[in-house]
Amino acid sequence: MDSRQPKGMWRNYVLFLMISFAILVANMYFNPPRPPKNQPAAGKPAEQQQADGKEAAPKEVAEKEEPGKKETAEAAKNEPEAKAEEPAKVETAKEEPVIAAAPEPAEQWLTIGSAEENSPYRMLATFTNRGAALARVELSSQRYRDLEFRGGYMGHLLMDPKQRGEGALVQVVGPGTPAAKADIKAGDLIKKINGFTVTGYESFNEAMRQTSPGQSVNVELVRDGKSMSVSVALTRRPMEVIRPENAATVPTPMKTLYSKQASPLSFLMTLKQVDKEKLPDFTEAGQPEEDKGDWPRPKLSEELKGVHLRDGTWEVVSHTESEVIFQRVVPRWGLEVRKIFRLVEVPKAKIEDPDYKAYHLVVNVEIRNRGKQAHKVAYQLDGPNGLPVEGYWYASKIGRSWGAVGLRDMVVSLNRGTPALIGAPAIAEGNVKPPYQGDPVTFIGVDAQYFSAVMIPQKKQPEEILFAESEPLRVGPVNADWLTLTNTTFRVTSETHELKPEESVDQGFLVFAGPKRPPLLAQYGLGDVVVYGWFWWVAEPMLTVLHTFYAVFRNYGIAIILLTVLVRGCMFPLSIKQAAGAVKMQQIQPELKKLQEKYKGDLEGRNRAQRELFRKHNYNPASGCLVMFLQLPIFIGLYRSLMVDVELRQAPLFSEAIRWCSNLAAPDMFLNWQSFMPAFITSGHGMFGLGPYLNLLPILTIVLFIGQQKMLMPPPADDQAAMQQRIMKYMMVFMGILFFKVASGLCLYFIASSLWSLAERQFLPKATPVVPDADKPAAEGAVARGKTLASKLLPGGSNGDTPAERRKKRPRPKR
């Protein structure tokens, strides 16, 4: 807009900014109201599962040695609650087991797959036989690396966070990791890493923080009583789609809550029902308002008497590089339970194909009746948890509705319908509906910002019902200020199956655990998991253009700049019309001044006269802001794209080797200022929680906006104009706070667009300023000069008249 535009034009500009930022605030900070008091909770937290059987608490040891006393003690302790909530149980204390109990196996850690990028596997999965649980899934592609941890990666060798002693005992070494390549083995005792003394889990992690990717470190260890040292070439830590959640792995706001406990691992199961004995429904128990947040709650991990499938150690029946089979017998009923995990190999010809269908685990649950009597059996299975919450202080996940979403939400599709999203804040507060019942589950899982872990039942017919119930589940503590960080999963309860002797039920699932790439998700039937929101019609074409530019220039920073040039180039004709409108406004400026004097005390009459004047000269006051309003959906669409498209995650402006602008989907993170800034600013919580880093690109963006404002806005002609300029200054401060945590790619777009606007003004003709003079000939001369300028701006030498007016002025031929 021209510097001599009247205050009405600037009112439109202010209105545009207010609408823009209202939409941005709604996208970034909208949260639903808290649930009403005394509302029953559908999700309760999980009981801590011990990671290391060798360091079990005394209570757990007593339970293993005398399992009968466990139920007696708990029943005595919780007698009122048991009477009110639990159905009566059949007395079976004196029953003889159908099958003799086998000795408890020792705890083991096992892996399948590989962390090597060019291996035939897309992931490295780590398991424990305690509960036959999945502990961690690491992606092998270099495209998906951990963005938070900047130290070197040797491999996740220690699994027990409580491990301390004279060195760190290596519990598992995954194929393809730097430790495996250096011939470090399970059972080795690591003493030092580059001279740093290692005494356990925490000191090992601290030693790794002091290293960097690409560095070779000297590891001193003891093997079979002999001291030795090896050199390990470190790499960047892989992206962990699933991982154990404890004090060492959670973000800063959650560390205190996790200081004495950890979340359970993934895919734990137990028997929901055997004959007439049945676990109480989780949602029927209710939860008083004052008990919300009290974690762990024992009912989440409760099991039938004599069933220790969640906390017991399973027998490892078979273990290969791509498959592991766990088995455990329930002696009381003679039931043999198996869990099988298998990875799909990628053919050599498809290793370079990022969308080959191999980002999944094949999971089978089998229950066989080894006894001599028939039994009615149902099982319950918990899903994956511990998905990433990277960038928790700036990340913004998108849902299908205005309901608040977290960074780890439950997503479920019933009967092949559009998936529903249950946000982590709602799950944390128990503000969820009763379990889904009676509908065939197409898929159910946990959805993070750029990655998902989704279980897809393998059914003979799509309408087949495998689960009697499915529901969201909270498996971690809750920070009331950070509900979005709550660790969530789901729980499914199978239909009841009647098993005659030697009969079995075997159900299979695909568990997708990978990036949210639309072509990849489409192969699993998960295309609807990617959500762009209301501006999908802008975001999707924009991403196509961005990816096209990236395919040519191999840099998303350049691609965003070229997108800006393309958008502003397409709007260049509108910019010319905008300048012509400014000239026409200059033409009628003397008449506007007269109207203001004539109707000085009559606001309604003045507005009516101005509208008549605008109609007479065919001028639309809103046309000056058309270019800015057209950019609004592009701005929102690009914002949504950066928050959704996994290809823009980890895309650097210059290089990943430096922290600054190493991820265009995140703030540029120029300087860590936590050491000298107040905690309420560095926390990242709330509007004034700017985060732990000083960001330069948002500051540059605001500086350019202020520069444009000073160049384009004339000195105030009256008090109203002065007030408008003050409002604009306040808006710029508010805008700077909002922009401080937005993605650096979005700032790059605004910087490029602002520079384009400044350059555009230099090439467009300048309007002749109007000299305020009541003399009529002078005013007519200004109008004449304005028409001359308009003839230069508009095609065909037009002075801004409509086509009908130009036809009237056209000379007619003589007859």
Side-chain angles (χ1 to χ4, degrees), residues 21 24-25 28-29 687 734-742:
F21 293 123
L24 181 61
V25 170
M28 296 178 65
Y29 295 106
M687 180 177 294
F734 175 68
M735 188 176 177
I737 295 174
L738 278 182
F739 265 62
F740 201 81
K741 293 192 290 186
V742 302

Side-chain angles (χ1 to χ4, degrees), residues 253-305:
M254 306 296 289
K255 288 188 180 298
T256 302
L257 297 173
Y258 277 92
S259 59
K260 296 181 180 179
Q261 59 231 339
S263 292
L265 301 181
S266 300
F267 295 105
L268 291 168
M269 69 167 290
T270 190
L271 297 178
K272 171 74 172 183
Q273 176 183 353
V274 180
D275 298 332
K276 295 183 179 180
E277 294 194 41
K278 181 181 178 181
L279 289 174
D281 290 335
F282 190 68
T283 54
E284 290 179 358
Q287 187 179 10
E289 181 72 22
E290 59 270 15
D291 288 345
K292 288 186 178 181
D294 179 21
W295 185 84
R297 300 284 293 179
K299 287 184 177 295
L300 186 65
S301 58
E302 186 178 7
E303 300 192 76
L304 295 174
K305 182 178 179 180

Side-chain angles (χ1 to χ4, degrees), residues 25 29 107 401 548 670:
V25 170
Y29 295 106
E107 185 174 13
S401 64
T548 302
F670 175 72

Side-chain angles (χ1 to χ4, degrees), residues 100 180 195 307 317 349 436 634 667 669:
V307 179
V317 177
Y436 297 99
I634 297 173
M669 304 184 203

Side-chain angles (χ1 to χ4, degrees), residues 35 90 117 128 151 169 178 247 256 313 393 454 477 485 538 547 656 740:
V90 178
E117 184 172 30
T128 174
L169 180 65
T256 302
T313 51
W393 53 275
V454 182
L485 300 183
V538 177
H547 293 164
E656 290 186 67
F740 201 81

Side-chain angles (χ1 to χ4, degrees), residues 44 71 108 113 152 270 354 357 363 388 413-414 494 583 585 656 695 754 759 781 805:
K44 299 190 185 79
E71 289 75 14
Q108 300 180 55
T270 190
K357 189 178 179 180
V363 182
S413 172
L414 304 176
S494 73
V583 171
M585 190 65 207
E656 290 186 67
N695 304 312
S754 297
E805 291 172 338

